[in-house]
Amino acid sequence: MALERIAAIPALRERIRDARHQGLAVGCVPTMGALHSGHTALLDRARSECDVLVATLFVNPLQFDRKDDLRTYPRDMETDLRECARHGVDILFAPTAEDMYPREPVTTVEIEGLASGLCGASRPGHFRGVATVVLKLLNIVQPDFACFGEKDYQQLAIVRRLVEDTDLPVRIVGVETVREPDGLALSSRNALLSPAERAAAPAIYKALRSARRAIGAGQADAASILAKARDALRREPLIRLDYLEIVDPESLAPVCRITGPVRIAAAAFLGATRLIDNVSADPPEGR
Ligand code: PAF
């Protein structure tokens, strides 16, 4: 099937209705474009489980807490169309801001608790914007399932809870983070790094990995594990740490004593570019 590009919501709905009438399974990968191998891993995963693959491409103004971040967010429609075609996307739903928000929305989705820590603490309103647009996109596309990357772990946890709380009939599939050979998690924002910042950036994953190793070796005191990992990052002159935390994988609440599976998550600025990453960690068996 050739890639079809649709901007208008009614046209997309009609196309999906046709697919449903034929009994076809619809998969969805929501994106903000500037597609890289992290996104194409999501497309490949979704492609393998559905008949009609819809990718959405919308740089959602509602989720940007900084105007300059929205302005400089990488955009590359030509590459995105090529990658969508190459990875078997049937429909690219790429609405304009007017298509998505013809009026200033007075209905938004507020996520309590889950959205208040980690990235939520330093990006006020970000997850309100994410949850609102994801709910809209899932309502518009009405897929059987939708894929989200584990790199945005807090977003994934929030989307899972949003779907549960609002009884949306969609399965949320989390897909493992794709990394550069030096460990840096793929992100559209990596393109904004200077060569020196790019060289420093893998230190984030290195710090996460050393914390994971400590947990795997049986260290249980989160504060001392975090202190070491934060110190390692503070020694990198080009990195300004936003947070590095050990949290419960579901509630995202900070964990003090590690007795079960946890998520270690970090965010850091390199110049004006903010990068995030996370890993899972398990204490030794029998703890
Ligand atoms: O992860 C993203 O690219 C965005 O936050 C999403 C889920 C497409 C919502 O705008």
Side-chain angles (χ1 to χ4, degrees):
M1 212 191 291
L3 173 65
E4 207 177 324
R5 181 174 162 184
I6 299 179
I9 294 171
L12 181 81
R13 282 197 195 281
E14 198 179 311
R15 189 63 186 69
I16 299 290
R17 207 176 305 127
D18 284 352
R20 291 233 167 270
H21 277 149
Q22 293 172 54
L24 301 175
V26 178
C28 179
V29 177
T31 82
M32 297 205 298
L35 301 185
H36 50 64
S37 310
H39 295 109
T40 59
L42 301 179
L43 295 175
D44 293 344
R45 172 66 186 272
R47 180 69 279 174
S48 70
E49 290 185 34
C50 69
D51 302 306
V52 177
L53 175 54
V54 181
T56 73
L57 193 172
F58 179 59
V59 182
N60 173 36
L62 225 59
Q63 71 188 72
F64 284 80
D65 50 304
R66 293 187 292 136
K67 279 208 173 80
D68 61 319
D69 192 24
L70 173 60
R71 189 174 39 78
T72 59
Y73 196 81
R75 291 164 171 87
D76 185 354
M77 184 53 98
E78 220 173 283
T79 308
D80 291 345
L81 284 168
R82 205 177 45 237
E83 289 303 305
C84 282
R86 193 181 288 166
H87 291 269
V89 174
D90 298 305
I91 301 170
L92 177 65
F93 174 55
T96 63
E98 289 69 36
D99 289 312
M100 288 297 280
Y101 302 114
R103 293 205 275 170
E104 185 73 24
V106 293
T107 309
T108 55
V109 181
E110 202 68 59
I111 307 283
E112 282 166 34
L114 276 179
S116 59
L118 305 179
C119 290
S122 45
R123 301 191 66 190
H126 169 64
F127 287 116
R128 183 189 313 122
V130 169
T132 303
V133 82
V134 168
L135 181 61
K136 282 169 73 73
L137 290 169
L138 294 178
N139 272 329
I140 293 165
V141 180
Q142 301 195 357
D144 294 281
F145 69 90
C147 293
F148 292 83
E150 284 188 351
K151 202 224 13 147
D152 297 284
Y153 190 79
Q154 188 172 17
Q155 168 173 284
L156 175 61
I158 284 172
V159 169
R160 284 192 196 287
R161 194 56 201 264
L162 165 72
V163 164
E164 183 187 326
D165 285 352
T166 56
D167 298 305
L168 278 183
V170 57
R171 183 165 51 90
I172 301 301
V173 178
V175 178
E176 214 178 297
T177 303
V178 180
R179 299 182 180 280
E180 297 282 7
D182 61 8
L184 177 65
L186 293 195
S187 162
S188 306
R189 289 190 168 87
N190 292 353
L192 304 172
L193 299 172
S194 70
E197 289 161 356
R198 173 63 188 83
I204 301 170
Y205 181 53
K206 220 169 134 194
L208 293 173
R209 266 190 12 221
S210 66
R212 175 167 60 190
R213 264 198 308 275
I215 293 169
Q219 291 184 41
D221 179 37
S224 68
I225 297 167
L226 288 172
K228 270 195 207 114
R230 287 173 184 151
D231 274 357
L233 282 175
R234 285 196 188 107
R235 280 197 294 275
E236 282 291 336
L238 292 180
I239 293 183
R240 185 163 55 85
L241 186 61
D242 180 358
Y243 67 77
L244 197 154
E245 301 289 349
I246 298 177
V247 297
D248 177 90
E250 213 180 298
S251 71
L252 306 186
V255 169
C256 298
R257 191 129 196 101
I258 299 156
T259 55
V262 290
R263 206 84 196 179
I264 318 169
F269 283 95
L270 290 96
T273 307
R274 186 174 180 280
L275 299 182
I276 57 173
D277 200 353
N278 68 85
V279 296
S280 62
D282 294 287
E285 298 240 335
R287 169 65 67 70

